[in-house]
């Protein structure tokens, strides 16, 4: 039995048409679809094995460009119609299962198993090598092997419609090699192959497995191949880092395919997740949860910079935690009892925090953030549902203008007070930065009713000076405005008279009349 693999690329229509047609790609997997060609892949695996011991250190340099190692199409050569009689093609055309026997002991079946041939006895009972091509169903029941081919030694299965195994493999005392490739298989139980006493090679490459738990084997010498599956690294597969997982031969070449870690080596993603989990056991945040939200490729292209999210919401915090894992970029600490944000300015652990959600706390002021490095570099600041009644509008506005990476600010559900001056400035700020203050239309402020002292809330964006400024405040403002105009006019008059006297003196040599009359 022989299988072939192609390098990772986008499949063309021709590829899809000839997925099982026997075209000869460049890379090959020989030895009944189980042993990787040493000349092609072994050097790569050796290099990766030398590099990956550095994984326990998060700052270690790791191999990154593993996308080209992904096995996208795994083709079993015996499943090529070009190699078989015309009767096979005719049966395939009519959608019927067809099996044929090749001496000394190999049986190849297309689109299912022709049970009548096996029941009839004869040479099919001599089958030691069974290959099932283009399996037609979504499930395959391994129990059929014990009934039809109890002495099978090598088994291969392929079919783009196959998704599940109906049962675990039964006890097959002679079965040494299992090759399930080129299918849509997305799940296998940990005991799926436990009853196979003599199993030596398990090839599950080129399927659609997203997560895997350590298989249970009776033998400790099983070689497992998993390359080319759709690994979802948001799942927990940290066990792959342990020494007892050495039987998973090609684990250094596994690549994540999920939306968060796509293109990242599975072992690299799991190593960062392990380090973050250990960091989250610190006494300051022991009851918080920590996750690697993204692995960003470093500028030198040789390592990754993790972006870590810490969730401490509803954990009873009275102040911001004094410790965060390195490279924490997102902090959720809503529904606590925080009263200040001092740590954002004094604690080095918050230098990398770009997004912070402090909704529904007891924060009364953020004035301490004025002219701080954090305010000049933040991305998301959420302060909904706190006790803010005023902020220094100019300091926040200047910080947002200096910060090119600012994303969103949330300020609603705070008891903003509609003071005459503050409300007008706040309104101008919200209108100018309406795209950045995401909840600007929901921000309200209150004025006290003079009759009963009740709070009357109004939307800040639509409030007018007549709504919030008292008559006495209006009169005082008018008086000061008039006085300012008078002073400005007098200053202008003085400078004009000075310029005239200077001109008159330079031209006629006469001093001003007032100067001449002075004693």
């Amino acid at each position: 039995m022989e299988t072939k693999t192609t390098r990772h690329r986008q499949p063309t229509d021709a590829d899809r048409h000839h997925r099982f047609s026997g075209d000869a790609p460049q890379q090959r997997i020989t030895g009944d679809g189980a042993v990787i060609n040493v000349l092609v892949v072994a050097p790569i695996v050796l290099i990766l094995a030398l590099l990956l011991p550095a994984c326990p250190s998060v700052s270690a340099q790791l191999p990154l460009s593993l996308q080209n190692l992904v096995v996208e199409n795994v083709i079993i050569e015996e499943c090529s119609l070009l190699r078989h009689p015309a009767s096979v093609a005719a049966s395939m055309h009519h959608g019927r299962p067809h099996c044929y026997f090749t001496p000394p002991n190999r049986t190849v079946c297309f689109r299912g198993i022709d049970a009548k041939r096996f029941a009839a006895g004869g040479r099919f009972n001599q089958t030691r090598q069974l290959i099932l091509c283009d399996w037609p169903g979504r499930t395959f029941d391994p129990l059929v092997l014990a009934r039809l081919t109890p002495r099978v030694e090598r088994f291969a299965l392929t079919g783009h419609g196959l998704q599940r195994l109906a049962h675990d493999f039964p006890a097959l005392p002679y079965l040494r090699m299992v090759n399930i490739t080129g299918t849509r298989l997305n799940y296998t139980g940990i005991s799926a192959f436990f009853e196979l006493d003599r199993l030596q090679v398990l090839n599950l490459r080129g399927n659609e497995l997203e997560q895997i738990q350590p298989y249970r084997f009776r033998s400790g010498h099983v070689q497992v191949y998993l390359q080319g599956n759709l690994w979802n690294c948001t799942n927990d597969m940290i066990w792959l880092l342990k020494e007892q997982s050495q039987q998973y031969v090609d684990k250094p070449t596994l690549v994540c395919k999920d939306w968060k870690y796509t293109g990242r080596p599975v072992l690299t993603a799991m190593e960062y997740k392990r380090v973050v989990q250990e960091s989250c056991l610190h006494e300051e945040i022991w009851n918080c949860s920590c996750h690697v939200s993204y692995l960003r490729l470093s500028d030198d292209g040789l390592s990754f910079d993790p972006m870590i999210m810490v969730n401490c919401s509803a954990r009873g915090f009275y102040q911001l935690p004094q410790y965060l894992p390195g490279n924490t970029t997102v902090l959720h600490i809503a529904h606590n009892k925080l009263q200040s944000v001092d740590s954002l300015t004094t604690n080095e652990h918050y230098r990398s925090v770009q997004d912070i959600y402090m909704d529904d706390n007891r924060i009364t002021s953020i004035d301490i953030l004025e002219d701080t490095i954090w305010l000049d570099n933040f991305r998301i600041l959420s302060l909904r549902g706190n006790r803010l009644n005023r902020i220094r509008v100019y300091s926040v506005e200047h910080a947002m203008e200096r910060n090119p990476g600012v994303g969103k600010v949330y300020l609603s559900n705070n008891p903003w007070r509609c003071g005459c001056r503050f409300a007008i400035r706040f309104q101008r700020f919200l209108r100018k930065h309406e795209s950045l203050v995401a909840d600007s239309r929901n921000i309200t402020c209150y004025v006290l009713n003079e009759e009963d002292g009740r709070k009357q809330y109004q939307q800040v964006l639509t409030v007018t000076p007549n709504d919030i400024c008292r008559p006495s405040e209006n009169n005082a403002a008018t008086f000061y405005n008039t006085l300012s105009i008078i002073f400005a006019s007098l200053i202008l008059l003085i400078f004009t008279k000075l310029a005239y006297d200077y001109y008159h003196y330079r031209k006629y040599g006469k001093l001003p009349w007032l100067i001449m009359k002075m004693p």
Side-chain angles (χ1 to χ4, degrees), residues 70 185-187 207-213 226-240 254-270 273 292-293 295:
V70 176
L185 185 69
N186 53 45
Y187 173 78
N207 297 297
E208 295 187 0
L209 295 173
E210 295 185 359
Q211 183 182 11
I212 191 172
Q213 296 295 331
L226 299 170
Q227 186 186 12
N229 284 278
L230 306 181
W231 301 115
N232 186 342
C233 293
T234 61
N235 296 320
D236 186 1
M237 295 184 286
I238 296 179
W239 64 270
L240 284 170
L254 305 185
V255 179
C256 303
K257 288 290 187 177
D258 57 280
W259 63 272
K260 182 185 291 187
Y261 301 102
T262 182
R264 276 53 176 161
V266 171
L267 292 187
T268 302
M270 294 304 110
K273 293 178 73 170
V292 178
S293 57
L295 289 178

Side-chain angles (χ1 to χ4, degrees), residues 324-350:
L324 291 175
N327 295 313
T328 298
T329 58
V330 181
L331 174 61
H332 291 267
I333 193 164
H335 303 286
N336 284 287
K337 301 175 182 179
L338 306 181
Q339 298 183 6
S340 70
V341 294
D342 296 2
S343 295
L344 295 180
T345 65
T346 59
N347 194 322
E348 293 184 356
H349 292 288
Y350 288 88

Side-chain angles (χ1 to χ4, degrees), residues 57 97 101 117 138 165 168 173 185 211 356 389 419 515:
S57 174
F101 181 84
R117 289 181 177 268
R138 293 186 177 182
L165 298 177
D168 295 342
L185 185 69
Q211 183 182 11
I356 187 166
N389 54 33
I515 298 298

Side-chain angles (χ1 to χ4, degrees), residues 367-438:
D367 292 344
I368 195 172
L369 297 179
E370 182 178 356
D371 295 329
T372 59
I373 296 177
W374 189 89
L375 196 61
D376 290 341
N377 293 278
F378 82 96
R379 186 172 57 189
I380 295 178
L381 174 61
S382 185
L383 292 165
R384 290 173 291 195
N386 281 278
R387 299 180 181 179
L388 298 171
N389 54 33
R390 289 193 180 187
I391 59 172
R392 294 176 181 173
V393 176
Y394 65 89
S395 64
V396 177
E397 184 172 14
H398 291 169
M400 294 174 66
E401 292 174 351
R402 292 193 303 266
N403 184 359
V406 63
K408 296 294 181 182
V409 177
Y410 300 88
L411 298 171
S412 61
N413 295 333
N414 280 283
W416 301 107
R417 186 168 183 177
C418 288
C420 187
R421 295 183 181 180
F422 169 74
I424 300 303
R425 292 175 182 173
F426 196 30
Q427 184 184 75
R428 292 173 182 170
F429 166 76
L430 294 180
R431 288 178 176 175
K432 183 177 181 180
H433 301 284
E434 189 171 359
S435 61
L436 297 179
V437 184

Side-chain angles (χ1 to χ4, degrees), residues 30-41:
T30 60
D32 301 302
V35 181
I36 302 178
N37 190 318
V38 176
L39 296 178
V40 177
V41 181

Side-chain angles (χ1 to χ4, degrees), residues 16-29:
R16 297 186 181 95
H17 179 71
H18 296 292
R19 183 177 177 92
F20 299 100
S21 65
D23 294 346
Q26 295 179 356
Q27 295 186 6
R28 302 171 67 87
I29 302 176

